[in-house]
Amino acid sequence: MPLQQKKAKYKRGFKKWTDEKVIELRKQLGLYASSPLCAFKLCEFLKIPIFEPSAVQGLSEEFLNELLVDGSTHWSAATIPLNEGKYIIIHNPTHSPARQQSNLMHEIAHILCGHKIPEQAKNTGLSGFLRNFNAEHEDEAEWLGSSLQLPRPALLYSLKKRMTLNDIAEHYNCSLEMVQYRINITGVKRQLSYLKK
């Protein structure tokens, strides 16, 4: 997902909840709060199957070509709710590994946030979140998804170690854009300057 340029507003306590959630998930996986977290492994842990378009039976070569070649830049991933609170994610494998991580974390964030599809949007004939665009939900998914990929403890650890932006991006399998976005949006440099005083 392209990172937002506008300033989003979140429900009271949302950012604190996300900071705690990303650490809790790492603990459940036996990781440190600052450890890299693979989106594919997180999906496996959360029992969320991931599919690529080529795995969809009956999808014609024409549609596959549109999804994976001609139109591959037009979509990232989609979450499809199933019955009994289960989900599957269909993702675009043609994006860079870092972008795939970001795409999947965004979709996982929708699920962890408990975002639902309104009943009136279910009559469009599209699946899952393709039916519905909710700006508040997208902002929340972006915030939590980026936090899952690069949480505050990871940023503090990296900056204390004087890692370059490239080093951080490589270590956490994310884009340079994501590293810069998270450093800016979290204010971790300011937090570090207070700690040094």
Side-chain angles (χ1 to χ4, degrees):
M1 295 292 294
L3 299 171
Q4 65 183 354
Q5 301 301 316
K6 65 177 178 52
K7 188 168 183 169
K9 289 187 175 180
Y10 302 96
K11 289 179 276 195
R12 186 179 176 87
F14 177 75
K15 289 182 179 179
K16 182 176 185 300
W17 175 79
T18 61
D19 283 346
E20 293 170 353
K21 188 70 177 176
V22 300
I23 293 171
E24 173 196 322
L25 286 167
R26 279 172 164 76
K27 280 183 182 172
Q28 290 175 3
L29 286 160
L31 301 172
Y32 293 113
S34 61
S35 296
L37 175 59
C38 172
F40 289 94
K41 288 184 178 174
L42 181 57
C43 278
E44 186 179 332
F45 175 72
L46 295 172
K47 300 186 181 350
I48 303 168
I50 305 170
F51 294 96
E52 297 178 2
S54 59
V56 178
Q57 288 186 352
L59 202 57
S60 70
E61 285 298 319
E62 177 188 356
F63 287 133
L64 276 176
N65 188 62
E66 183 59 36
L67 288 169
L68 300 174
V69 183
D70 296 339
S72 66
T73 59
H74 301 300
W75 72 286
S76 302
T79 300
I80 299 176
L82 306 174
N83 292 328
E84 301 173 4
K86 296 179 180 175
Y87 297 86
I88 62 171
I89 295 174
I90 298 179
H91 88 111
N92 187 338
T94 67
H95 288 176
S96 71
R99 176 76 186 275
Q100 290 180 46
Q101 290 288 317
S102 176
N103 296 340
L104 288 173
M105 290 300 196
H106 183 94
E107 297 305 316
I108 294 167
H110 276 300
I111 296 168
L112 293 175
C113 286
H115 294 159
K116 303 292 182 200
I117 306 298
E119 287 300 318
Q120 66 269 23
K122 292 182 178 177
N123 299 323
T124 60
L126 295 170
S127 293
F129 291 105
L130 294 174
R131 309 174 182 150
N132 184 54
F133 179 83
N134 179 311
E136 183 182 344
H137 287 179
E138 291 303 317
D139 289 343
E140 289 179 351
E142 181 175 312
W143 182 272
L144 177 55
S146 64
S147 299
L148 284 165
Q149 194 171 14
L150 203 49
R152 178 179 293 275
L155 293 167
L156 291 170
Y157 169 84
S158 302
L159 294 174
K160 283 180 185 175
K161 291 277 188 185
R162 299 184 183 278
M163 292 169 70
T164 65
L165 298 185
N166 279 319
D167 290 342
I168 298 170
E170 185 175 336
H171 188 66
Y172 290 95
N173 198 9
C174 56
S175 66
L176 280 174
E177 181 188 20
M178 175 64 79
V179 175
Q180 191 63 66
Y181 166 77
R182 287 291 295 159
I183 287 174
N184 292 345
I185 201 91
T186 57
V188 287
K189 284 191 172 178
R190 191 170 58 245
Q191 184 180 351
L192 276 178
S193 70
Y194 290 140
L195 292 174
K196 289 176 182 173
K197 291 180 182 176

